Amino acid sequence: MDNLSGDTIKYIIHRSEERGKANYGWLDTRYSFSFSRYYDPEKMGFGLLRVLNDDIVLPSSGFGTHPHDNMEIITIILDGQLEHKDSMGNGSVISKDEVQVMSAGSGVTHSEFNPSKTDKVSLLQIWIYPKEENIKPRYDQKSFPKEERKSKLVTVASGFNENGSLYIHQNAEIKVGYFDGAETISYKIRKGNGVYLFVIDGHIKIGDEELFRRDAIGIYDTNEFDIEVSENSEFVLLEVPMN
């Protein structure tokens, strides 16, 4: 417990260097939570957030066709391009600053491939448990240009009626912020939810905790907290039900 915003709340800190690591040659990845061959019983997720993988895929490489079910899968492209194909008939290329959502629902297969012969693709892949199982699978993607996200938090995916955001089948929200100057943001959390904040780049402070590139903090049992942003910082904020 600590005091981050005037109230005694609970939080966890995950430092960048404490994440799970794997390098498969074609894929260099960091796991915030237990995934694949990386297992830590203390890191099985945060509330209904199950996966946050920080992937770099080499040129002309990718994930072959594989199945998913009953999971909300969100992909944020940080740099490069990723080609997507699935059993719903979707085939598209997702580029930098684009976000993809896929409700796996009753079951879907898909593949993800870096179509470039020269450039790596850097991405975040997020898995959130759905609020209802075995729904009809669905897919969507949208661009959120960096210049339109400057100095504010933009909701890129949400289970609520958020204007312009992609829909996910959970009472959760994913927001991305980009700031090139010092600023303080007050964030209010919905009742029963918590926030997992992942620093893409830069330097932020929450209470007495300083967070740098690829650090993360999970905050729960509070209604509001402040984010002090230093210059040139970008982060993703995931608000999810805690149970």
Side-chain angles (χ1 to χ4, degrees), residues 4-7 9 186-189 219 222-226:
L4 294 186
S5 62
D7 298 316
I9 65 172
S186 292
Y187 189 82
K188 293 184 178 180
I189 308 176
I219 298 171
T222 189
N223 298 320
E224 186 175 2
F225 64 96
D226 289 339

Side-chain angles (χ1 to χ4, degrees), residues 82-103:
L82 191 71
E83 184 177 357
H84 167 95
K85 293 181 180 179
D86 64 43
S87 55
M88 294 179 279
N90 298 298
S92 61
V93 174
I94 319 155
S95 300
K96 181 178 179 179
D97 294 338
E98 283 195 286
V99 178
Q100 173 205 72
V101 297
M102 187 172 69
S103 296

Side-chain angles (χ1 to χ4, degrees), residues 19-22 24 26-39 43-45 49-57 63 66 68 71-78 82 112 121-128 196 198 200 214 216 236 238:
R19 296 177 297 169
K21 300 177 183 179
Y24 299 95
W26 62 274
L27 170 68
D28 187 10
T29 185
R30 300 292 182 270
Y31 304 128
S32 293
F33 306 107
S34 295
F35 191 86
S36 188
R37 300 173 188 173
Y38 168 65
Y39 176 73
K43 292 183 177 180
M44 297 303 297
L49 169 64
R50 175 61 187 88
V51 166
L52 175 53
N53 292 349
D54 184 4
D55 294 341
I56 295 175
V57 182
F63 303 89
H66 57 282
H68 291 288
M71 193 67 71
E72 300 298 297
I73 300 171
I74 303 97
T75 302
I76 300 174
I77 305 296
L78 302 179
L82 191 71
E112 298 161 297
V121 58
S122 174
L123 62 104
L124 300 178
Q125 186 160 107
I126 298 156
W127 293 9
I128 298 173
Y196 193 82
F198 180 83
I200 297 170
R214 271 33 182 199
V236 57
L238 302 105

